[in-house]
Amino acid sequence: MTERQRLYALQVNQLYNRLHVGIIATLLNALILVFILRELIPLSVLSLWFSALFFISFLRCLLYYQYKRSSQAPADVVRWEMWFLAGLAFSGIFWGSAGIFLFPIESVTHQMFIAFVLGGMAAGTAGTYSVRIITFPAFSLPTLLPIIIRFFLIADDIHFAMGAMVLLFGILMYLNAKRINSVTISSLKLQFENKDLVKHLSVEKVRVEKLNEDYLFEINERKQAEDALQKAHNELERRVKKRTAEL
């Protein structure tokens, strides 16, 4: 497997490792939003919206457990990323629907609160899933565009300004996500380089240890040969002296 393939597989693995954070944030923020809007939006609409978001979160939980139980083979990385992006996009669609179906016409304060929550979810995506930059537009576009369009359609000064601010916020978050993605990829590549260096050093250590063993074995053999030669020399001298004495 090439370094690029290893990097891609590790990026997708990190997406799934952080999936539970996004699901918890989704459910908590959805509950808060439902609580704040309970007096302005019919309970049936709020219940339907939250139930749909909960169902999507449940499916994403199942996807997480399926991934963890799988072999996570390199050949399946693309498929796992596509499933992850699909779940993220559907979550973004239902969040974006809050800017349409949960939009309280009579309360600018609650409209700003919805924009704040949706912007917070987009910012959370930039911080949590930016290991793959495609995750940010997959979630943020369906999340932010409906309320931006809704603000622009109202067409008064304050709503136009709020729409422009949300749009600017989305652009800035995208740039921030790209920066985080760049830093994360550099960090992952550095990890690969360190692992390769450690592996190389380990191989060299084994090779040097083998050479040392060979040298020690050779030295021992030479010492034994020298001892045998010395014994033969001493025996020869003894015989020469004995023969000389006989003569």
Side-chain angles (χ1 to χ4, degrees):
M1 185 165 48
T2 65
E3 180 179 339
R4 184 175 182 180
Q5 290 173 326
R6 287 193 300 163
L7 177 62
Y8 180 41
L10 185 57
Q11 287 175 294
V12 174
N13 185 63
Q14 288 199 8
L15 287 179
Y16 277 92
N17 287 339
R18 300 172 181 177
L19 180 57
H20 64 282
V21 177
I23 293 174
I24 293 173
T26 291
L27 296 178
L28 288 178
N29 286 331
L31 283 173
I32 293 173
L33 186 61
V34 167
F35 177 79
I36 295 298
L37 298 177
R38 69 190 187 281
E39 296 181 357
L40 299 175
I41 305 297
L43 183 60
S44 58
V45 176
L46 292 174
S47 300
L48 183 61
W49 178 81
F50 181 81
S51 298
L53 200 56
F54 181 86
F55 180 69
I56 292 297
S57 299
F58 175 74
L59 293 180
R60 295 176 72 195
C61 285
L62 291 180
L63 179 64
Y64 171 82
Y65 286 112
Q66 287 293 325
Y67 175 80
K68 288 301 180 181
R69 293 174 58 186
S70 70
S71 62
Q72 300 177 20
D76 297 331
V77 174
V78 175
R79 178 170 60 86
W80 284 115
E81 185 189 31
M82 294 303 297
W83 280 111
F84 183 93
L85 292 175
L88 192 65
F90 273 109
S91 180
I93 289 172
F94 281 103
W95 272 110
S97 67
I100 300 174
F101 301 108
L102 307 185
F103 193 84
I105 298 296
E106 65 277 11
S107 176
V108 176
T109 302
H110 288 81
Q111 295 170 12
M112 294 177 63
F113 181 78
I114 293 177
F116 174 80
V117 172
L118 297 181
M121 292 301 300
T125 302
T128 306
Y129 299 134
S130 287
V131 65
R132 290 289 294 166
I133 190 62
I134 193 174
T135 58
F136 183 80
F139 178 82
S140 298
L141 285 178
T143 298
L144 298 180
L145 277 180
I147 196 168
I148 292 173
I149 295 173
R150 189 68 182 265
F151 281 148
F152 284 155
L153 288 177
I154 296 177
D156 59 22
D157 291 343
I158 188 169
H159 286 93
F160 186 86
M162 286 194 295
M165 291 175 64
V166 175
L167 178 61
L168 178 61
F169 176 81
I171 295 173
L172 293 177
M173 282 297 101
Y174 176 72
L175 297 177
N176 186 53
K178 288 189 65 175
R179 181 185 62 81
I180 296 174
N181 174 262
S182 177
V183 172
T184 304
I185 291 178
S186 298
S187 176
L188 295 177
K189 287 183 178 179
L190 184 61
Q191 289 182 26
F192 285 145
E193 292 175 1
N194 290 339
K195 288 180 180 179
D196 292 339
L197 178 60
V198 170
K199 183 179 180 180
H200 175 73
L201 292 176
S202 299
V203 172
E204 286 299 310
K205 180 183 177 182
V206 172
R207 188 179 69 85
V208 171
E209 289 177 348
K210 183 65 170 57
L211 288 175
N212 288 336
E213 291 177 357
D214 293 341
Y215 288 149
L216 290 175
F217 180 76
E218 183 179 349
I219 291 172
N220 188 47
E221 284 190 333
R222 288 183 178 181
K223 185 177 180 181
Q224 291 177 358
E226 290 174 356
D227 291 342
L229 184 61
Q230 185 63 40
K231 288 179 180 180
H233 178 71
N234 293 338
E235 180 64 20
L236 181 61
E237 284 186 346
R238 186 186 66 80
R239 291 183 179 182
V240 170
K241 288 180 181 179
K242 181 179 178 180
R243 184 60 178 167
T244 300
E246 289 177 350
L247 292 174

